[in-house]
Amino acid sequence: MSYAMNLINKIETGEYDERFSRLYGEDAVAVQRERYISAVNGFVEAFGEPACELQLFSAPGRTEIGGNHTDHNHGRVLAGSVNLDVIAVVARSEEARIRIQSAGFPLDTVILNDLTVHKEEINRSGSLIRGTAARFKELGQQIGGFDAYTTSNVLKGSGLSSSAAFEVLVGVILNHLYNDGAVSPVEIAKVAQYAENVFFGKPSGLMDQMASSVGNIITIDFKSTEQPIIEKVDFDFSAAKHALCIVDVGGNHADLTHEYAAIPGEMKAVAAELGVPVLRETSLDKLLPRLPELRKKHGDRAVLRALHFLEENDRVVDEVQALKANDFDRFKELVLQSGHSSFEYLQNVYAACNVSEQGMSLALALAQKVLAGRGAWRVHGGGFGGTTQNFVPYDLLPAFREMIEGVFGEGSCHVLRIRPYGGVCVDTL
C-alpha cells in the first residue's frame, strides 16, 4: 500500500476522529474526514506518489475579540483561535527546496540556498515561505526541504487572518520536521510576523500570528514585543447562550495595504511628537494638552487614531476582567464601545479611497437593528471591507442570519467556535 493510500485508510477507518473532534468539534468529524482525504489526493495530484510517510498539519484563523489595531503600538489585545484553518499534507524532501501547492493557486517553489528578499514575491505567498525559512536560519534553527499541499477554509480578506495562519503553518512544519518541535509557539509567531513585515511587505502587528500559533482565547500584552505577556482566558460563549458570528460582507482588502499601513504610521507619528516611539509609552494626559499642535502638524485623523489606541488599550483590560468575572453583559457593553471607537476614531470600517463600498457599515447597521439591547457588534480585525464580529443571543440567531444573508448572500454569516489549539502537527495531538 502506498504512503498516500495508507494515510487515507487511517482517516477513513477513524484513526484521526478523536483528533478531528478536538480541533473542530464532534459534529464536524465527518466533514473533516472528507476534507483531509481530499487534501491527500490533492498532494498526489500535485507531486505524485510520496516517497516517504505523509504528515498532517493545521494552523487556525483567529478572531480579534478586543484590541482593534493596538498590537503594532505595543498595546494589549484579546483574541482567540477559531475552528477555521489552513491544513497541509506534507512529505519531507531531501531536496534543498520547499514546494507548496495551495488549492486554487499556482505552485510556490522556494530554493533554500537563496533566502534573500525577492521583490517580485512581495504580496505573494512565496515571500511568506521564503521569509519564514530565512528567519529560522537567522535564529540558528534547522531548515530543510518539503512538499506540501494546502487547503484553507479561512476566509481570505476576512479579518480572520488567512495570511497569519499560512505563515504559522509553514513555521510549524519546519519546527516539526527539522527541529523536533523545539521552537515555541511564541517564537513561531514572531518568525511569522517577520516574514510578513520584511518579505511580504505588510507592516502587521503580532496579534494575528500569536493568536494562530498559541491558540484558545488569550490576552496578550505587547509592551515588550520580545517577551509578550500571554495569558489564557477561560470563557465559553456558548455557556452564555450567545453565538460568535463573523459576517463576511464580500469585500476584499488585498489591494488596501496602504490603508492598513497608514494606521500604525499615523499613530507612531503622534507618538514621536510626544517623545516616544509608540503610543503605549504615553497617555491621554500627555496627549490632550498637545492636541492643537498635533492636529495642525499631522491632521485630525491621526489624532483621533491616537485617542482610539489609548482608550482601546485600557478597554482590553476591562474586557478580560469582565470575562473572568463571568459578567457577559458588561463584556458586551465594552464590545460596543470598541466598535464605536473603531468606526468613529480609528476609521477603519471603510476605505477613504472607496467611499461607495461600505458593506461593513451596512452590516453593522443591520446588526444594530436585530441585536440592539441584547447582543453586541463591531468591526473585526484590520477592517476596510472584511468582516464584522457579532455576539448573538441564540434565540435571535435565526433572525440575524436571515437578515444578514438576505443582504450579503447565503453563507455570509459564519457561526464559529473557539479552538483550543494553535498551530499543530495533527499526527502528534
Side-chain angles (χ1 to χ4, degrees):
M1 185 182 294
S2 71
Y3 289 110
M5 285 305 302
N6 183 53
L7 179 54
I8 288 173
N9 183 62
K10 288 180 179 180
I11 296 171
E12 287 179 333
T13 57
E15 188 169 320
Y16 284 85
D17 283 4
E18 196 272 336
R19 298 181 181 102
F20 292 160
S21 179
R22 282 191 277 158
L23 286 173
Y24 307 104
E26 290 183 11
D27 58 341
V29 169
V31 170
Q32 293 303 326
R33 277 190 188 181
E34 293 183 9
R35 183 180 177 219
Y36 277 80
I37 288 171
S38 177
V40 175
N41 288 325
F43 179 97
V44 174
E45 183 177 345
F47 302 109
E49 288 291 343
C52 64
E53 186 176 353
L54 293 171
Q55 298 180 71
L56 304 177
F57 293 83
S58 163
R62 70 96 179 98
T63 183
E64 172 204 275
I65 301 169
N68 194 217
H69 279 283
T70 52
D71 56 338
H72 48 62
N73 266 251
H74 296 201
R76 304 180 184 95
V77 300
L78 178 64
S81 56
V82 297
N83 58 327
L84 301 178
D85 63 347
V86 185
I87 65 172
V89 178
V90 178
R92 181 168 172 154
S93 170
E94 298 305 316
E95 301 286 340
R97 71 184 179 199
I98 295 173
R99 297 190 297 178
I100 297 182
Q101 177 65 66
S102 297
F105 294 90
L107 176 70
D108 286 306
T109 301
V110 170
I111 305 302
L112 295 177
N113 61 6
D114 178 10
L115 295 178
T116 59
V117 175
H118 285 214
K119 290 184 178 180
E120 72 276 10
E121 287 182 344
I122 290 175
N123 288 317
R124 301 177 68 89
S125 57
S127 66
L128 300 176
I129 303 165
R130 195 181 304 275
T132 301
R135 190 60 173 163
F136 260 71
K137 188 174 182 180
E138 288 175 8
L139 294 172
Q141 307 296 346
Q142 299 299 310
I143 62 172
F146 63 83
D147 294 330
Y149 180 89
T150 77
T151 182
S152 173
N153 58 13
V154 183
L155 309 171
K156 187 175 175 59
S158 67
L160 293 170
S161 295
S162 57
S163 61
F166 182 81
E167 297 154 13
V168 167
L169 184 72
V170 175
V172 170
I173 294 169
L174 285 173
N175 187 29
H176 181 79
L177 294 184
Y178 292 101
N179 295 277
D180 296 323
V183 185
S184 72
V186 169
E187 194 60 44
I188 288 174
K190 293 178 183 178
V191 169
Q193 184 203 22
Y194 175 90
E196 185 158 320
N197 289 174
V198 177
F199 282 71
F200 187 82
K202 183 177 180 180
S204 70
L206 187 53
M207 177 185 67
D208 298 350
Q209 293 85 356
M210 196 70 78
S212 177
S213 188
V214 174
N216 215 327
I217 298 178
I218 55 174
T219 182
I220 313 168
D221 188 336
F222 289 113
K223 185 174 183 179
S224 168
T225 55
E226 289 302 311
Q227 294 182 311
I229 300 171
I230 304 167
E231 179 185 359
K232 289 193 175 183
V233 180
D234 291 322
F235 192 85
D236 183 0
F237 294 122
S238 64
K241 294 182 169 49
H242 280 68
L244 170 60
C245 297
I246 300 296
V247 172
D248 180 12
V249 303
N252 191 324
H253 57 201
D255 60 345
L256 295 175
T257 296
H258 64 286
E259 292 280 4
Y260 297 101
I263 293 177
E266 291 178 10
M267 287 185 180
K268 289 175 180 177
V270 171
E273 292 295 327
L274 298 174
V276 293
V278 290
L279 288 172
R280 175 59 182 271
E281 297 181 18
T282 188
S283 65
L284 276 173
D285 289 341
K286 294 179 180 178
L287 174 71
L288 294 176
R290 301 280 300 276
L291 287 182
E293 61 182 279
L294 288 170
R295 62 188 296 249
K296 183 177 181 181
K297 186 168 184 179
H298 296 287
D300 289 332
R301 189 175 71 172
V303 170
L304 286 165
R305 285 174 165 172
L307 286 170
H308 164 81
F309 172 90
L310 293 169
E311 292 179 348
E312 183 81 348
N313 193 48
D314 290 338
R315 191 176 293 118
V316 170
V317 176
D318 295 337
E319 288 175 333
V320 171
Q321 290 176 345
L323 291 179
K324 287 183 175 180
N326 203 31
D327 188 348
F328 197 63
D329 287 337
R330 174 58 177 159
F331 170 76
K332 288 187 292 183
E333 291 176 5
L334 293 164
V335 170
L336 290 171
Q337 290 177 19
S338 174
H340 281 295
S341 181
S342 292
F343 205 149
E344 298 161 17
Y345 298 173
L346 185 60
Q347 299 179 36
N348 69 328
V349 171
Y350 61 90
C353 63
N354 186 16
V355 296
S356 63
E357 184 177 329
Q358 295 197 37
M360 284 176 43
S361 305
L362 180 57
L364 293 168
L366 296 175
Q368 184 173 1
K369 289 185 67 66
V370 178
L371 304 178
R374 297 281 310 280
W377 54 94
R378 67 191 282 271
V379 60
H380 179 249
F384 301 119
T387 56
T388 66
Q389 181 184 74
N390 308 266
F391 294 92
V392 182
Y394 282 153
D395 62 309
L396 293 180
L397 185 56
F400 179 79
R401 174 174 266 163
E402 180 180 5
M403 177 170 282
I404 290 297
E405 296 194 346
V407 174
F408 297 105
E410 185 176 354
S412 56
C413 179
H414 300 269
V415 181
L416 302 183
R417 292 189 181 100
I418 297 296
R419 159 173 156 156
Y421 301 94
V424 293
C425 174
V426 179
D427 301 276
T428 61
L429 267 181

